[in-house]
């Protein structure tokens, strides 16, 4: 005696059931060709299939699709990052820009708690603020030391700080360099020459400097045009001199290229040990060309993976 299981595979459960039923009903005819005169006794009657014998594993397919999609996206992002024409590493500065790397300042979070992040309590980051980490402060002081060495001899005093695009950190670098140099005992003047979008005053106000909780006593544009006397505002606590702006000025390029700006820097050279000038972005305004002619040293701030290397 042999126990046999007879199965039929079809496109639909109805076809499978009818085919199997048909074979059993026509056993006499089928036995001559299939079962070879074996007596067939039916133990279990055919039933309509309730589920496919080879079900599709949708959960497994979804998991595999997710993994493959994530891997493809990661490869795409990595490829775009590698092929992007931006400065992504310190070594790429010399390779892509043909410039000497003066220093590297790593990213520092201005608002380190969830509450301060949601409220955006700190609008800027200065080395004198409690939220500035030791690592960030040391990197700024190291940059200031190298700048002092580059300005040695007393002949070079005016340092232009600029960037290609906005929001690359040039104003933050300029303000922190001025504070670091002033902390070393140097007589430092910080000038916000970005008359299109001045921001240094807001940076200093974020650090709660008493003298800058209101508008500066003198706007830089008024000093250049001769409507105000050249008298830098002094921050006693930080021993830092400032010439700042709170509002944008029409005809900013003409003001920067005027004799008034050249005269202002000439007087600053005589009175100061170092003059830090924050300028507009190079790619957006032509003011920087005039400022570069007046400066002794230009510092280009390059934010990682931001502006095109060209």
């Amino acid at each position: 005696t042999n126990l046999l299981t007879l199965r039929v595979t079809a496109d639909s459960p109805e076809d499978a059931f009818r085919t199997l039923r048909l074979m059993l009903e026509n056993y006499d005819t089928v036995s001559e060709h299939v079962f070879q005169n074996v007596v067939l006794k039916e133990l279990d009657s055919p039933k309509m299939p309730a589920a496919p014998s080879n079900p599709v594993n949708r959960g497994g397919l979804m998991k595999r699709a997710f993994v493959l999609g994530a891997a493809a996206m990661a490869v795409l992002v990595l490829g775009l990052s590698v092929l992007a024409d931006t400065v992504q590493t310190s070594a790429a500065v010399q390779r892509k820009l043909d410039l000497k790397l003066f220093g590297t300042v790593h990213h520092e979070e201005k608002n380190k708690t969830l509450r301060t992040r949601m409220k955006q309590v700190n609008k800027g980051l200065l080395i004198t603020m409690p939220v500035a980490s030791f690592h960030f402060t040391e990197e700024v002081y190291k940059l200031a030391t190298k700048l002092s060495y580059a300005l040695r001899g007393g002949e070079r005093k005016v340092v232009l700080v600029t960037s290609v695009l906005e929001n690359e950190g040039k104003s933050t670098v300029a303000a922190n360099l001025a504070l670091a140099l002033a902390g070393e005992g140097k007589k430092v003047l910080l000038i916000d020459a970005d008359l299109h979008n001045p921001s240094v005053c807001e940076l200093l106000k974020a650090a709660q400097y008493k003298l800058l909780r209101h508008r500066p006593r003198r706007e830089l544009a008024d000093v250049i045009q001769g409507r105000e006397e050249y008298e830098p505002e002094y921050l006693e606590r930080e021993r830092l001199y400032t010439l700042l702006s709170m509002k944008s000025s029409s005809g900013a390029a003409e003001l920067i290229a005027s004799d008034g700006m050249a005269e202002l820097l000439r007087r600053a050279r005589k009175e100061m040990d170092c003059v830090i000038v924050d300028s507009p972005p190079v790619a957006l305004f032509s003011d920087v060309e005039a400022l570069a002619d007046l400066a002794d040293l230009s510092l280009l701030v390059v934010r990682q993976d931001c502006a095109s290397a060209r």
Side-chain angles (χ1 to χ4, degrees):
T1 299
N2 295 299
L3 296 177
L4 304 177
T5 301
L6 185 61
R7 291 188 177 94
V8 174
T9 301
D11 293 335
S12 68
E14 291 83 0
D15 290 345
F17 173 77
R18 289 173 181 172
T19 303
L20 185 57
R21 184 77 269 174
L22 182 65
M23 291 179 65
L24 294 177
E25 290 174 354
N26 295 275
Y27 163 70
D28 293 338
T29 303
V30 174
S31 63
E32 297 178 1
H33 302 89
V34 179
F35 300 108
Q36 300 179 355
N37 298 322
V38 174
V39 177
L40 181 65
K41 182 179 180 180
E42 181 181 333
L43 298 180
D44 293 326
S45 300
K47 296 180 176 65
M48 183 74 73
S53 59
N54 55 342
V56 177
N57 187 359
R58 295 184 179 179
L61 288 176
M62 291 174 65
K63 291 179 181 178
R64 287 195 292 271
F66 173 78
V67 172
L68 290 175
M73 183 61 67
V75 171
L76 178 62
V77 171
L78 180 62
L80 292 176
S81 299
V82 172
L83 299 176
D85 187 28
T86 56
V87 177
Q88 301 175 17
T89 63
S90 299
V93 172
Q94 187 169 355
R95 185 177 70 255
K96 288 189 174 184
L97 305 185
D98 193 24
L99 295 175
K100 177 183 177 182
L101 180 62
F102 201 71
T104 301
V105 178
H106 290 83
H107 173 71
E108 177 84 359
E109 183 62 49
K110 294 178 289 188
N111 298 289
K112 299 184 179 182
T113 64
L114 181 60
R115 183 185 65 84
T116 55
R117 287 178 186 175
M118 293 179 63
K119 294 184 177 181
Q120 290 295 305
V121 174
N122 298 314
K123 304 298 183 182
L125 182 64
L126 301 176
I127 57 176
T128 54
M129 297 172 64
V131 294
S133 67
F134 174 80
H135 185 62
F136 174 78
T137 303
E138 284 302 305
E139 285 184 332
V140 172
Y141 274 109
K142 181 179 179 181
L143 190 63
T145 301
K146 295 182 69 174
L147 184 60
S148 298
Y149 183 76
L151 297 174
R152 68 189 185 280
E155 297 179 359
R156 296 190 292 183
K157 292 186 177 182
V158 179
V159 180
L160 173 67
V161 181
T162 188
S163 63
V164 175
L165 301 177
E166 292 181 327
N167 299 319
E168 289 199 69
K170 62 176 180 58
S171 298
T172 300
V173 171
N176 279 295
L177 279 177
L179 290 171
L181 291 171
E184 294 176 358
K186 292 182 173 58
K187 192 175 182 180
V188 181
L189 172 62
L190 175 61
I191 300 177
D192 188 356
D194 186 356
L195 299 180
H196 301 275
N197 185 26
S199 58
V200 174
C201 190
E202 293 298 326
L203 281 174
L204 296 177
K205 283 173 66 178
Q208 298 180 350
Y209 288 95
K210 277 186 177 180
L211 292 176
L212 292 174
R213 289 179 183 174
H214 53 80
R215 298 174 64 87
R217 291 195 297 269
R218 293 172 180 80
E219 289 279 339
L220 177 63
D222 295 334
V223 177
I224 294 174
Q225 292 175 310
R227 292 199 293 261
E228 292 282 354
E229 291 292 329
Y230 168 80
E231 186 179 345
E233 194 165 355
Y234 183 61
L235 305 181
E236 185 175 359
R237 191 181 73 179
E238 300 301 330
R239 294 172 293 176
L240 176 67
Y241 294 87
T242 61
L243 275 176
L244 307 176
S245 302
M246 278 291 290
K247 58 184 180 180
S248 58
S249 302
S250 59
E254 290 76 11
L255 287 175
I256 294 298
S258 66
D259 294 336
M261 186 65 186
E263 176 62 20
L264 185 153
L265 290 179
R266 186 188 64 80
R267 292 192 60 180
R269 285 176 189 273
K270 292 183 178 180
E271 300 177 4
M272 302 291 169
D273 297 324
C274 181
V275 181
I276 304 293
V277 182
D278 181 33
S279 76
V282 176
L284 304 181
F285 304 103
S286 61
D287 312 22
V288 188
E289 297 179 11
L291 288 171
D293 291 336
L294 299 173
D296 302 314
L297 184 147
S298 296
L299 194 64
L300 180 67
V301 178
V302 180
R303 181 176 177 177
Q304 181 186 28
D305 198 20
C306 182
S308 169
R310 291 192 301 270

